[in-house]
């Protein structure tokens, strides 16, 4: 069973994808809906996916939950909520009533000096997620990692999903600093890492398995097979390759010593456990 723990759908006419403009390129600036991905999922033997937010609106979260209700191969939704809003808990509890709502990817305000107490409302809302054990996806870069460590020191029970390996600069010289910070993140047992954004994590460059393998191998050393999830980042990945190519890159970049059980965990089982997915009719 393969589960893609990170993909997107969007419809431009909805009007809340501020980052999607004609300047984004022809590949991205178009609608992507289930009918566009289903043939690829079938071809690759993917049983289901986790649909992740692409707009900072609750309306998009509702839009994704409706897709999840209609599409049997969408197993859960990682939506958006205003983490700094005074009404965060109200909306969070409302969405939690829907079992398809399995995580959030919010607008996290990261303090430059690492003092998370400067935004007590945000910290309080994060504490609510920590108590609930509810996953929070973080789209962050290497420069953010030290301050995320400071957050986890305050809230060690927070379930953090680091998207795209924290976007390492594969073409640059920041490997050692990235390794050091990611290793600190990995010390917190509720932190997991998504094996996603592999082909487009450095400005859309079409990286191959040999390029990303050193990063993936380090992630495996730090997090082990129980705290890594595969995600295609479709359709963003189309800038560098199709779904099949991205899946192949992920498989080839993993250590060859993986057992079948370990590979099954990374490419499916971990997503079920971490997001608490309902496998519906699978």
């Amino acid at each position: 069973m393969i589960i893609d723990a990170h993909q997107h759908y969007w419809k431009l006419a909805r009007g809340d994808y501020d980052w999607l403009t004609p300047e984004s390129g022809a590949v991205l600036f178009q609608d992507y809906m289930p009918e566009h991905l289903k043939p690829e999922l079938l071809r690759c033997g993917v049983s289901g996916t986790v649909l992740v937010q692409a707009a900072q609106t609750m309306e998009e979260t509702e839009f994704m939950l409706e897709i999840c209700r209609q599409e049997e191969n969408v197993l859960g939704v990682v939506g958006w909520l205003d983490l700094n809003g005074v009404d965060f808990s109200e909306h969070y509890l409302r969405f939690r009533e829907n079992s398809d709502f399995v995580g959030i990817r919010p607008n996290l305000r990261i303090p430059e000096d690492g003092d998370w107490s400067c935004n007590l409302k945000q910290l309080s809302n994060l504490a609510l997620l920590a108590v609930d054990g509810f996953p929070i996806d973080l789209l962050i870069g290497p420069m953010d990692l030290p301050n995320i460590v400071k957050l986890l020191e305050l809230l060690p029970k927070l379930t953090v999903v680091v998207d795209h390996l924290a976007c390492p600069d594969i073409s640059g010289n920041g490997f050692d600093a990235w390794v050091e910070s990611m290793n600190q993140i990995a010390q917190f047992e509720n932190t997991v890492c998504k094996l996603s954004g592999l082909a487009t994590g450095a400005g859309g460059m079409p990286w191959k398995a040999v390029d990303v393998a050193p990063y993936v191998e380090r992630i495996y050393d730090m997090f082990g097979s129980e705290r890594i999830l595969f995600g295609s980042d479709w359709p963003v990945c189309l800038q560098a390759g199709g779904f099949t190519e991205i899946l192949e890159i992920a498989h080839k970049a993993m250590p060859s010593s993986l057992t079948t059980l370990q590979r099954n965990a990374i490419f499916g089982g971990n997503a079920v456990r971490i997001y608490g997915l309902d496998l519906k009719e699978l």
Side-chain angles (χ1 to χ4, degrees), residues 111-189:
E112 292 184 3
D113 60 0
D115 181 10
W116 290 88
S117 66
C118 68
N119 187 340
L120 292 178
K121 173 53 64 177
Q122 177 176 250
L123 191 59
S124 173
N125 291 333
L126 286 167
L128 172 60
L129 298 177
V131 170
D132 263 9
F134 194 70
I136 175 172
D137 271 52
L138 296 183
L139 181 58
I140 54 178
M143 297 296 292
D144 300 317
L145 291 173
N147 285 335
I148 298 300
V149 171
K150 293 181 180 179
L151 171 63
L152 292 171
E153 289 172 347
L154 293 173
L155 299 173
K157 293 186 178 180
L158 186 65
T159 301
V160 168
V161 182
V162 179
D163 290 353
H164 311 338
L165 285 73
C167 303
D169 182 7
I170 296 176
S171 62
N173 298 313
F175 182 78
D176 291 340
W178 172 82
V179 168
E180 181 180 354
S181 294
M182 285 300 288
N183 190 55
Q184 290 179 312
I185 291 282
Q187 302 309 307
F188 296 91
E189 61 182 16

Side-chain angles (χ1 to χ4, degrees), residues 76-104:
V77 167
V78 175
W80 180 91
L81 289 175
D82 183 3
L83 196 58
N84 299 282
V86 295
D87 54 357
F88 172 85
S89 60
E90 173 188 341
H91 292 298
Y92 167 67
L93 294 174
R94 173 172 63 88
F95 279 116
R96 280 300 310 266
E97 294 178 358
N98 188 329
S99 61
D100 292 332
F101 183 67
V102 299
I104 68 168

Side-chain angles (χ1 to χ4, degrees), residues 4-247:
D4 178 357
H6 195 105
Q7 59 92 195
H8 309 282
Y9 291 132
W10 58 67
K11 184 176 290 187
L12 298 180
R14 297 191 57 258
D16 51 1
Y17 305 100
D18 296 339
W19 63 281
L20 282 171
T21 66
E23 289 69 34
S24 303
V27 172
L28 296 183
F29 193 64
Q30 57 182 294
D31 292 347
Y32 285 102
M33 294 295 286
E35 60 267 25
H36 300 117
L37 182 58
K38 277 183 177 179
E40 293 289 335
L41 299 180
L42 182 62
R43 185 178 301 113
C44 295
V46 177
S47 300
T49 71
V50 175
L51 185 53
V52 179
Q53 67 88 218
Q56 292 191 2
T57 66
M58 286 188 290
E59 288 77 11
E60 197 224 11
T61 301
E62 299 280 9
F63 168 70
M64 293 190 296
L65 287 170
E66 180 59 23
I67 291 176
C68 189
R69 187 185 69 82
Q70 296 177 5
E71 300 292 334
E72 63 180 14
N73 58 12
V74 178
L75 304 178
V77 167
V78 175
W80 180 91
L81 289 175
D82 183 3
L83 196 58
N84 299 282
V86 295
D87 54 357
F88 172 85
S89 60
E90 173 188 341
H91 292 298
Y92 167 67
L93 294 174
R94 173 172 63 88
F95 279 116
R96 280 300 310 266
E97 294 178 358
N98 188 329
S99 61
D100 292 332
F101 183 67
V102 299
I104 68 168
R105 188 164 75 160
N107 52 324
L108 183 68
R109 295 180 184 174
I110 302 175
E112 292 184 3
D113 60 0
D115 181 10
W116 290 88
S117 66
C118 68
N119 187 340
L120 292 178
K121 173 53 64 177
Q122 177 176 250
L123 191 59
S124 173
N125 291 333
L126 286 167
L128 172 60
L129 298 177
V131 170
D132 263 9
F134 194 70
I136 175 172
D137 271 52
L138 296 183
L139 181 58
I140 54 178
M143 297 296 292
D144 300 317
L145 291 173
N147 285 335
I148 298 300
V149 171
K150 293 181 180 179
L151 171 63
L152 292 171
E153 289 172 347
L154 293 173
L155 299 173
K157 293 186 178 180
L158 186 65
T159 301
V160 168
V161 182
V162 179
D163 290 353
H164 311 338
L165 285 73
C167 303
D169 182 7
I170 296 176
S171 62
N173 298 313
F175 182 78
D176 291 340
W178 172 82
V179 168
E180 181 180 354
S181 294
M182 285 300 288
N183 190 55
Q184 290 179 312
I185 291 282
Q187 302 309 307
F188 296 91
E189 61 182 16
N190 292 325
T191 301
V192 301
C193 186
K194 271 187 182 172
L195 190 66
S196 58
L198 293 180
T200 56
M205 294 295 292
W207 299 115
K208 299 179 180 180
V210 67
D211 300 310
V212 301
Y215 295 84
V216 175
E217 289 171 359
R218 287 302 184 96
I219 288 297
Y220 176 75
D221 291 341
M222 298 173 198
F223 290 88
S225 61
E226 296 302 310
R227 293 195 289 149
I228 302 174
L229 305 82
F230 164 72
S232 69
D233 199 24
W234 188 95
V236 179
C237 70
L238 296 177
Q239 297 173 101
F243 189 96
T244 301
E245 288 79 9
I246 300 304
L247 183 58

